[in-house]
Structure formats: C-alpha cells, structure tokens
Amino acid sequence: MESTRSPNLNRLGAVYGLLWGGVALAVLKSLGGDFFTRMTGWYLLGSIPTGILVTRLLAGRLGRTKAWKVWTYGPAALLLGTLIFAACMLVVVAGYEFTQSLAWRGVMESFQGLRFHDSLIMFFWYPFYGFVTVVPIFLAVGNCWDLRRRMMPVTAQG
C-alpha cells in the first residue's frame, strides 16, 4: 500500500545529494589524478546541501509537470545542481582554508587571506564536466523522473 504523505524533501534531497556527490567523484576520477582520494569527504559534504536545495526548488514543479517535460527539466536540473554545488564547494574550501590559516594568523588576517578567485573557476568547470561527460545528463533526467513520481499525488499515479 502506497503512502499518501509527501516525502521528506530534506532527507530525500540529502540522499540525492550524496548520490550526486558520488557521480561528481566518478567524473573526476575518470579524469585521473589523486584528487579523488584527497577531496572525497569535502565533495560529499558539499553535495548534501546541493541535493537538498535542488530537490526543494524542483519538487513542486516536477509534481505538476507532464511526463514528457521531465526531459527538459533534466538538463536544467543538472546546470542548477552544478552551479549550486560550485557555490557549496566555494564555501567548504573557504572554510577549510580559513581554519588552516588560523594556526598562524589572526581572524582578520585569515579572512583577508582567502583566495576566492581560485575557486570561482568551479562555476565554469563543474557544469562543463557535467555536460561533456554526457552520462550525468541522463542521470539528471532519471533523478527528475524519480522526484516527479514521488511528488505526484497517489490518486494521479493510479
């Protein structure tokens, strides 16, 4: 018997986010290097709020959309997700650099020492990697399809 309750969007978004964090790590792993092992925890940390935000932003719209429109939401969700992920990673990296800097500097010097320009390139590279590797586009469509299915009222699914 199916539940008539709407899903907990925070929990669902966190699960989606963790899964997408795994996708991001797999894309980076395919590019080579030791980045995968050094950044795994930080990527997963940045992916949770990303998943929650994207899920909350799209849940209402996807619950009311026609099935064929999910194909248009997938690429839009991927772009939105990669940009939000870049913003989350900007905050995570800045927080990490700030706390590391506190070991030999004061609070104000640590704030002044943050280098955001190094992290701003993520706003270009994350969407680029997401679309160039193609597979995340189909995963985003599938993710939107699943969210749409979960958001539709039970009577409309029958």
Side-chain angles (χ1 to χ4, degrees), residues 17-149:
L18 282 173
L19 293 173
W20 274 103
V23 170
L25 288 168
V27 167
L28 291 173
K29 178 67 173 170
S30 71
L31 298 173
D34 70 336
F35 188 80
F36 182 79
T37 55
R38 289 185 300 124
M39 294 297 289
T40 300
W42 298 114
Y43 262 62
L44 295 178
L45 178 64
S47 68
I48 293 170
T50 301
I52 292 170
L53 286 170
V54 172
T55 299
R56 287 204 155 275
L57 288 171
L58 295 179
R61 287 189 169 101
L62 282 169
R64 296 186 307 269
T65 194
K66 303 233 185 277
W68 67 271
K69 285 189 178 182
V70 172
W71 285 98
T72 62
Y73 275 96
L78 181 59
L79 179 62
L80 181 64
T82 54
L83 292 174
I84 291 173
F85 184 64
C88 287
M89 287 308 295
L90 181 74
V91 170
V92 167
V93 169
Y96 176 77
E97 286 180 2
F98 175 76
T99 55
Q100 293 298 314
S101 179
L102 283 176
W104 70 87
R105 294 178 168 170
V107 173
M108 289 308 293
E109 293 85 11
S110 294
F111 272 123
Q112 292 171 344
L114 292 176
R115 298 179 319 252
F116 289 113
H117 65 281
D118 293 344
S119 299
L120 292 177
I121 193 72
M122 293 185 290
F123 287 93
F124 170 76
W125 283 115
Y126 290 164
F128 178 75
Y129 289 145
F131 283 94
V132 168
T133 53
V134 179
V135 173
I137 299 170
F138 294 105
L139 292 175
V141 170
N143 197 167
C144 287
W145 188 270
D146 181 61
L147 182 57
R148 176 186 176 271
R149 181 187 59 81

